[in-house]
Amino acid sequence: MAKAWYPVVDYSACTECGSCIAKCPHGVYDTRKAPTPVVLNPLECVDHCHGCGNRCPVGAITYVGDDTGWTPPNGNTKVEEEAPAACGCGCGGECGDAADKKVVVEYLYLDLHTCDRCVGTDHELDEVMMVLTPALELAGFEVKYNKIEMATAEIANQFQFLSSPTIRVNGVDIGGPVQENNCGCCGEISGTDVDCRVFEHEGQTYEVPPKEMLAEAILRAVFSESEGGCACGDYKLPENLKTFYQGKSQKSCSCGGNCC
Ligand code: SF4
Ligand code: SF4
């Protein structure tokens, strides 16, 4: 089991051929989402395996933690250090710095099967990225769009995850200060009371951020100086998420909670 080695898909390049999902025998990808490659179990990825990356016909897969010098054999994707190794928020220590004309959009979520707000945000963000990506590329930006499930407390710690769902642009959280309300879906997953994120936009509160808000916030993050919100710095897994992970693990464990 790898601690900091797992595939990252560049959705702007991915053609959804499904080869990576078919290639991996370790359940890293969510087969229920096939042919869209969604990394479900990053901790199951085998350290230094490049199996799916070697199979990808368009070079859309790179690896967090890859220091081997490997480059995708197909396509033009370069291996870049967008891994959270430097500061844990995915910015590589350059939060909000768009000077190199690279835009890394990360969608961090708890669940894409049961949680209405995670699924809803996923759909809205997909649609926004479908429009913004070609426009940003036309303006000379290299755009990467990654989705990462915060499947365990370990992954949440690694990404300095504060609340679900979270959208980051070059490591900067575009959702503003974290505000939450009770989330029945995640409560169902974990069997505990869990709060998830809500978003403020033009005086209204949304559990699923509207496209206008996402587009505006992403463009603001790309074209303005860093305005804070970076996940760098002191981090502690919020109690709310601790409760969620503990509940989820007890619910899924056949011991009924006695061994966890
Ligand atoms: S690198 Fe190997 S183990 Fe990891 S997801 Fe790809 S095929 Fe599976
Ligand atoms: S192999 Fe490459 S193009 Fe095919 S689904 Fe996976 S990431 Fe996308």
Side-chain angles (χ1 to χ4, degrees):
M1 183 187 296
K3 278 204 170 156
W5 180 280
Y6 51 88
V8 175
V9 177
D10 176 0
Y11 289 96
S12 66
C14 172
T15 57
E16 300 201 335
C17 71
S19 296
C20 51
I21 304 164
K23 169 70 184 170
C24 180
H26 301 287
V28 174
Y29 292 99
D30 187 348
T31 52
R32 289 171 295 184
K33 292 280 173 185
T36 304
V38 173
V39 175
L40 177 65
N41 296 308
L43 296 182
E44 297 304 317
C45 185
V46 176
D47 207 6
H48 290 85
C49 174
H50 291 109
C52 50
N54 285 330
R55 177 72 71 92
C56 178
V58 294
I61 297 175
T62 54
Y63 296 89
V64 164
D66 195 343
D67 56 0
T68 65
W70 174 87
T71 54
N74 307 305
N76 297 316
T77 303
K78 297 178 195 122
V79 171
E80 294 174 82
E81 295 202 2
E82 61 192 341
C87 74
C89 73
C91 72
E94 297 175 318
C95 298
D97 181 6
D100 60 358
K101 301 205 86 174
K102 183 168 80 174
V103 179
V104 179
V105 177
E106 289 175 311
Y107 179 49
L108 312 182
Y109 60 90
L110 283 180
D111 173 84
L112 284 184
H113 303 298
T114 304
C115 180
D116 291 341
R117 69 183 87 182
C118 284
V119 171
T121 304
D122 182 58
H123 288 158
E124 297 296 284
L125 189 57
D126 277 351
E127 290 194 18
V128 168
M129 290 305 294
M130 273 175 63
V131 174
L132 291 189
T133 298
L136 287 167
E137 286 176 344
L138 191 62
F141 287 91
E142 180 190 351
V143 181
K144 294 208 166 194
Y145 174 31
N146 302 318
K147 302 181 188 190
I148 307 153
E149 182 183 1
M150 300 290 104
T152 64
E154 188 178 4
I155 298 171
N157 268 311
Q158 196 179 344
F159 281 85
Q160 302 190 1
F161 187 53
L162 290 174
S163 183
S164 180
T166 286
I167 301 132
R168 292 180 184 160
V169 176
N170 292 339
V172 177
D173 185 336
I174 64 165
V178 171
Q179 298 181 66
E180 298 178 315
N181 68 10
N182 185 266
C183 178
C185 301
C186 289
E188 197 180 303
I189 293 167
S190 62
T192 62
D193 274 344
V194 181
D195 289 341
C196 285
R197 196 153 190 181
V198 294
F199 301 85
E200 290 286 334
H201 181 61
E202 296 185 346
Q204 300 234 43
T205 303
Y206 297 88
E207 293 186 349
V208 173
K211 285 195 255 307
E212 313 84 80
M213 179 199 162
L214 290 171
E216 189 183 324
I218 290 169
L219 291 174
R220 192 182 321 119
V222 170
F223 290 106
S224 63
E225 298 294 320
S226 175
E227 294 174 352
C230 168
C232 287
D234 291 340
Y235 172 80
K236 214 170 140 208
L237 185 67
E239 287 301 321
N240 176 54
L241 289 174
K242 266 191 208 166
T243 305
F244 170 81
Y245 289 119
Q246 278 165 3
K248 184 178 154 191
S249 128
Q250 287 177 358
K251 223 180 153 191
S252 61
C253 178
S254 58
C255 77
N258 295 324
C259 73
C260 304

